Amino acid sequence: MKIAKIFAQEVLDSRGNPTVECSVVLENDIKASAIVPSGASTGTYEAVELRDGDMDRYLGKGVLKAIENVNTKIAEVVVGMDVEDQREIDQAMIALDGSSDKSNLGANAILSVSMACVRAASLSQGIPMYEYVATLFGNSTDEYEMPVPMINVLNGGRHANGASDIQEYMFMPVGASNIEEAVRWGSECFHHLGNILKEMDFSTTVGDEGGYAPSLGSNEKPLELMVQAIKKANLKAGEDMCIGIDAAANEFFEEGKYELKADSMSLSSEELCSMYMEWVERYPLILIEDGFGEDDWDGFVLLEKRLGERIMNVGDDLYVTSIERLERGIKEEATNSILIKLNQIGSVTETIEVMKRASEVGMKCMVSHRSGETEDTFLADFVVGAGTGFIKTGSMSRSERVGKYNRLMRIERELG
Ligand code: PGA
Ligand code: ZN
């Protein structure tokens, strides 16, 4: 079905900052919209999120230029195209932008159109979006794999001022038999953890991704408290429920050293790697994301050599969902897993390309939200259609996070 009209508007993300919502109208009058998210601990090599820089509006964070680009330049090219030609639509926008980092039109502008087309095409075909996404991946539409959620219950770093240096501590219900059980276990452990914090007189206010954000005075303490919470929930740590962390180490890498302020420690890559190894011995820690800074390839390679057989070693800022950076990671054997964020690269087609390449070489893909999220649950359908096994979408609080879990449960029920 041909695209009759596209238009974008400014809406707010979960931090109250402007972001782009795009609506696509087809010639059969079907209309669909999508909203792009926005990161805080962004990688240097991410595609460019176009912001106005006009300090009189939203402290410079307005996205009117990106919206103007959708409504004029992109509309001129995309209107009249077949909405089911996702690859052609994305390629046309990439060519129109002409830069290597989408800095002319803005990755936020391009992605909003790209995502809205996916949703419009699925509505036009009268099928659920996850099914349409499966066809984009060339996956079977008879069987679906539901993802293991990575539930970020303790927020630190850029997502919670004054908490841990490590940005995220996540429950991973690897032993749950379905999403419904995974979500229930996640919620129960989250609330037990809250009660443990209260009993210890720590704060239970939440950070950007809905996890608690106490000042525990150490980066290791969260792991200990999470194990206690797992036990309180009558689950087996290491079997039913495991733990993952996103160090987002780029954020505490200063002049060649990793500065762990909560521990008053300044570590080399080698020392940081040893610390992770000790944690893996002591706790049911099965995943470490961005254990090192985005240019510290040697750090990742070291961790991969030492722990690659035991844990998921994930690159986020390291790869920024870019095929070029992924190829380097494959060549150097830097990690065994990759975090996937649509807005790091800026189109659905390129995201699929990266995920397929990663899967081809046996790497695991974790499909992820951003710390500035929205009510759009695109990610839930996307991960089910992709069938790659993991979704990272925050804590069991704040509706922009929980909305994705609710959508996953609805999909599971629909599929029976
Ligand atoms: P961001 O954080 O969205 O602020 O970049 C998420 C992450 O680092 O995984
Ligand atoms: Zn990350």
Side-chain angles (χ1 to χ4, degrees):
M1 187 57 56
K2 280 191 177 160
I3 297 171
K5 191 178 171 190
I6 67 168
F7 58 95
Q9 54 181 329
E10 203 173 43
V11 295
L12 297 187
D13 70 17
S14 58
R15 276 191 280 255
N17 291 323
T19 188
V20 184
E21 176 175 51
C22 174
S23 300
V24 170
V25 185
L26 305 181
E27 285 188 350
N28 58 4
D29 284 338
I30 282 195
K31 183 186 161 195
S33 306
I35 316 177
V36 299
S38 173
S41 69
T42 47
T44 308
Y45 305 103
E46 292 192 23
V48 173
E49 182 180 68
L50 200 61
R51 299 258 176 212
D52 299 337
D54 170 2
M55 295 312 284
D56 291 336
R57 287 191 79 249
Y58 289 114
L59 292 80
K61 291 192 170 158
V63 289
L64 295 181
K65 283 182 196 160
I67 278 153
E68 178 74 5
N69 288 342
V70 174
N71 293 343
T72 58
K73 294 178 193 156
I74 294 178
E76 249 170 60
V77 168
V78 164
V79 168
M81 290 184 83
D82 191 322
V83 74
E84 284 160 45
D85 290 339
Q86 188 71 36
R87 171 171 286 273
E88 285 73 18
I89 293 168
D90 288 342
Q91 274 167 353
M93 291 192 284
I94 292 163
L96 179 69
D97 173 81
S99 70
S100 59
D101 56 6
K102 300 189 176 62
S103 50
N104 289 325
L105 298 172
N108 42 354
I110 294 172
L111 182 64
S112 73
V113 178
S114 187
M115 287 165 64
C117 284
V118 172
R119 186 168 275 134
S122 67
L123 283 174
S124 181
Q125 288 189 6
I127 58 173
M129 198 170 80
Y130 60 82
E131 186 177 334
Y132 182 71
V133 171
T135 65
L136 289 179
F137 274 88
N139 291 343
S140 155
T141 54
D142 297 330
E143 260 185 288
Y144 292 92
E145 186 190 342
M146 297 304 280
V148 173
M150 300 158 63
I151 306 162
N152 178 11
V153 293
L154 284 161
N155 296 180
R158 284 269 193 129
H159 300 164
N161 220 355
S164 54
D165 302 285
I166 300 285
Q167 182 180 277
E168 306 173 16
Y169 295 83
M170 299 171 280
F171 282 128
M172 296 181 64
V174 292
S177 46
N178 51 38
I179 274 290
E180 187 136 1
E181 189 168 54
V183 166
R184 179 168 64 81
W185 288 1
S187 163
E188 289 168 2
C189 287
F190 173 65
H191 290 112
H192 282 301
L193 180 64
N195 291 337
I196 291 168
L197 291 171
K198 265 181 231 156
E199 277 164 22
M200 296 173 77
D201 266 339
F202 286 118
S203 152
T204 52
T205 49
V206 298
D208 283 0
E209 296 190 352
Y212 303 117
S215 301
L216 296 176
S218 126
N219 285 296
E220 184 174 344
K221 193 82 184 164
L223 298 168
E224 192 188 309
L225 301 185
M226 284 172 80
V227 171
Q228 285 179 27
I230 295 170
K231 286 189 183 142
K232 285 253 184 203
N234 289 320
L235 294 169
K236 288 198 193 73
E239 260 178 64
D240 299 324
M241 190 64 98
C242 290
I243 297 174
I245 58 170
D246 178 4
N250 218 38
E251 302 295 332
F252 53 84
F253 187 64
E254 287 163 31
E255 290 166 20
K257 287 277 188 181
Y258 291 97
E259 302 293 341
L260 294 172
K261 295 205 174 69
D263 304 305
S264 307
M265 289 194 308
S266 177
L267 304 180
S268 66
S269 296
E270 175 99 34
E271 289 164 334
L272 186 62
C273 187
S274 300
M275 186 188 84
Y276 293 142
M277 288 172 72
E278 282 169 31
W279 287 2
V280 169
E281 287 304 324
R282 283 203 280 274
Y283 306 97
L285 179 63
I286 59 160
L287 180 147
I288 300 176
E289 177 186 333
D290 277 351
F292 303 89
E294 63 195 1
D295 291 313
D296 188 359
W297 292 88
D298 293 346
F300 283 95
V301 170
L302 186 66
L303 186 69
E304 185 61 23
K305 280 210 179 87
R306 297 204 174 150
L307 286 177
E309 297 286 317
R310 275 181 76 176
I311 64 158
M312 286 172 265
N313 175 18
V314 190
D316 168 17
D317 292 348
L318 179 72
Y319 293 130
V320 291
T321 317
S322 139
I323 194 79
E324 286 85 20
R325 292 187 68 88
L326 171 63
E327 292 298 351
R328 177 165 176 192
I330 293 169
K331 205 157 123 215
E332 297 197 18
E333 294 181 30
T335 72
N336 56 25
S337 307
I338 177 172
L339 205 80
I340 300 292
K341 290 168 171 164
L342 288 140
N343 81 326
Q344 280 180 329
I345 189 66
S347 77
V348 171
T349 300
E350 290 163 290
T351 305
I352 292 174
E353 181 196 5
V354 166
M355 292 175 75
K356 281 185 152 180
R357 178 68 181 132
S359 304
E360 192 180 280
V361 296
M363 283 172 75
K364 291 197 165 70
C365 296
M366 288 80 195
V367 179
S368 172
H369 65 166
R370 298 308 303 245
S371 53
E373 258 301 322
T374 76
E375 68 270 30
D376 193 335
T377 58
F378 186 96
L379 207 66
D381 282 73
F382 187 78
V383 73
V384 173
T388 50
F390 297 88
I391 186 170
K392 180 167 121 157
T393 188
S395 184
M396 289 295 165
S397 81
R398 298 183 60 135
S399 288
E400 79 278 6
R401 315 292 154 188
V402 171
K404 276 72 164 177
Y405 295 118
N406 286 342
R407 175 65 188 146
L408 284 173
M409 290 197 289
R410 289 188 192 109
I411 293 174
E412 185 170 85
R413 287 170 199 143
E414 197 172 296
L415 290 169

